[in-house]
Amino acid sequence: MKVLMFGWEYPPHVYGGLATANFGISEGLHVQGDIETTLCLPHPFGDEDQRFANIVAMNCVPIAYRDVDYDYVKNRIGNIMNPDLYYELRNYIYADFNYMHVNDLGAMDFAGGYPANLHEEINNYSIIAGVVARTLDYDIIHAHDWLTYPAGLHAKQVSGKPLCIHVHATDFDRSRGQVNPTVYGIEKDGMDNADCIMCVSELTRQTVINQYHQDPRKVFTVHNAVYPLTQEIAEIPRPDHKGKEKLVTFLGRITMQKGPEYFIEAANMVLHRTRNVRFCMAGSGDMMNQMIYLAAERGIADRFHFPGFMRGKEVYECLKASDVYVMPSVSEPFGISPLEAMQCGTPSIISKQSGCAEILNNCIKIDYWDIHALADAIYSICHNESLFDYLSEEGKKEVAQITWEKVGAWIRELYLRTLGW
């Protein structure tokens, strides 16, 4: 089975959870043994892991004809995409796009990530998808999140092949209900025209059914998973904090959706009971300065650290150095980070309003708004060694069973159902 997949980010260039999930799904599908995935990305850098998917660089796909020789093309894009594919794609340009901002190869540049002109880049990506969809051989289309739904729809219109869309989040999650009508329109259009809708949690599935008015029969829950720790990460030592200061960590985007203010208010309550705890708010986002000021207003700035955005090994070093991991999200479609924390042996506290709460048992679950319960849970784990040890050991065992291979098997089954094979 051949899959044409549209993604937006991919390791090692991680801007959020979408990259992690996209890589995990690619790996999970590859393990099935009979699936070949071609993954389109707006701006790959050439250092992406291509063991599980053949990557097409959308910023190297010609949409306007240019008569360029092979050596020049190889020199320009050879480390990112096979030059032979460039010439094959050039044969399938379907309109005159010279009026657009194309470069010397007749291709369009992308910033990568989430630039200020994101909507323009989403539109350009969908145009380029038309050339790719006309050129490649595939059985089914899989589009990740609203950024790629227009591309997936264009590919479906071109090929007549069925479209699966993967809902990693909706604008209802990102905005606490203050929905951007443009984004909602893109999401709704994608869902209306999809043959199969995969949602990262039952929480998200219900949002899709109720807020986007989708037929429940085509909407499925596909929970995320977590990669096994690499040897390098597994060998990072856990500091022994027994009898020492405890460290409690929030790690994620510092935005409204993630509930960072509840973390600080709970920290303030804990620090009224003990001063033997430090708090770390790792990440970046539009509420970061607000949170720094809030910690100062509560008089706890001396017990707070704001190390900024972390990636790769830094994330795991931070998680292993922590005694408690907290994810107080207001609306979290899934949330992979608690699984990563539990892998590291770090007890986790998560909001009941998160998708991962549906599959995790060996963690503490609280309502995001209940700062008293959150403070009690933090204090208990920090001061009860037996509770810490239990959650640490049982959490590791539980997460070891939540694999991308199982996710890949379920997605494969959904592909087969959608294709009617």
Side-chain angles (χ1 to χ4, degrees), residues 64 95-102 127:
D96 183 1
F97 290 110
N98 277 295
Y99 67 91
M100 301 190 77
H101 297 292
V102 293
I127 290 170

Side-chain angles (χ1 to χ4, degrees), residues 54-71:
N54 304 311
I55 292 176
V56 174
M58 299 295 264
N59 59 332
C60 299
V61 174
I63 60 169
Y65 188 90
R66 293 291 182 271
D67 187 10
V68 284
D69 69 50
Y70 188 89
D71 287 340

